[in-house]
Structure formats: C-alpha cells, structure tokens
Amino acid sequence: PPGQDLVTLHIYTPPLKSMHTFSIMGDGLTDWIGGGMGRPWKAKASSPPANPCLSDEQFEKVVHFMHANLKHDIHLDDFAKQTGHTPAHFSVLFKNRADSSPFHYLKELRLRKAHQMIIAGETNLGKVALVVGYTNRSHFSEVFQAYWKQSARELIAQVKAAAANHR
C-alpha cells in the first residue's frame, strides 16, 4: 500500500531434491519429491521408518571386539568407536539389533565364557573371574549364580562327578 515500506527477500540455495512436510489436516508425513529446475513438486506418502540398527558387519565387529576384550574394563565409547557412531546413538542401534543393551550383552558373553571354562575343567574360580573381566571373585560368584541359577562351585562339583562316572 502507498506510504508503507516494501521489503524483498532473496534466498539463494541449491535446488532441493526432496522436502518433508507434516500436515495438521490428518494426512501425516508427506515427502515432496522433485521441484527445482522447472519441475513440479509431487507428493509421495512415506511409511514410518523402521527402527534403525547396526548392520551385520558393524554388529559382528562389535561382538568380536567384546570377545577379544572380555577380561578388560570396556566402556560404551570403546564400542561406539568400532562403528563410528556416538556412544548414545550406538547404544540405541545396538539395542534395536540385539534386544539388549551392549553391557547386558557383554555380561551374558562373560558368563557364558565362564560356564564354558568350568565345563572344560577349570576349577580355579579366581582365574575364571579374571579371564571374564571380574576382579572381585565374590561379585563374580554372585552374578554367576543369579544368571545360571546355580553357583560356580556347584557346577564344578557336577563336572567332577560326571568325569568320575565316565571312568
């Protein structure tokens, strides 16, 4: 209108390949494809994204790292570095893939390794605990019993009894 200032705004950007919009009219999320260079935009309904997770290669790399470092104090940063993700994002991706947190998965690996060692004839629980990353043998024994529903000593006794019966 006469007597009011006129403002123009110029924005320079590369052409957009796609744009995501959300409609409050109930249409949900819509992707707008095309546009730019004289092409018209057209709407494409998008499906909700699946839960993102680690790829097979990334998961195998992390699990291999876990196995190789059972006896060490491993941190979330150490896992995340294996995949190039931030620790928080890695944790989400791992949980979506394995249905458990990285530390719960590592704990299960450690306890399964301890069980295998005892079944194979190892009777020194201090050694078993250290090999699977527990510096406190008492804590190891508590965790072992909670997981396997029997103490490590009971398992050792069963293995000895089974070996005696085979002779």
Side-chain angles (χ1 to χ4, degrees), residues 16-123:
L16 298 174
K17 294 181 182 168
S18 68
M19 159 175 73
H20 307 287
T21 62
F22 184 80
S23 170
I24 61 172
M25 304 305 282
D27 297 335
L29 184 65
T30 303
D31 288 339
W32 291 87
I33 309 297
M37 306 290 245
R39 293 188 309 264
W41 290 91
K42 60 183 179 184
K44 175 187 123 188
S46 64
S47 58
N51 287 342
C53 64
L54 294 175
S55 68
D56 290 346
E57 182 181 328
Q58 290 173 328
F59 185 74
E60 288 172 16
K61 186 174 184 180
V62 171
V63 171
H64 177 76
F65 179 80
M66 288 178 175
H67 279 287
N69 293 282
L70 284 179
K71 66 181 176 181
H72 299 292
D73 186 20
I74 309 173
H75 301 277
L76 190 59
D77 288 348
D78 300 320
F79 298 136
K81 285 177 187 173
Q82 302 301 308
T83 63
H85 296 291
T86 64
H89 189 59
F90 167 80
S91 188
V92 169
L93 296 175
F94 189 93
K95 188 163 186 167
N96 287 344
R97 173 64 188 258
D99 286 332
S100 72
S101 72
F103 288 106
H104 188 259
Y105 195 92
L106 176 63
K107 177 182 168 183
E108 286 193 358
L109 289 179
R110 286 177 166 161
L111 292 170
R112 290 175 185 273
K113 174 68 173 177
H115 193 272
Q116 289 172 351
M117 289 177 71
I118 294 169
I119 295 292
E122 182 59 62
T123 59

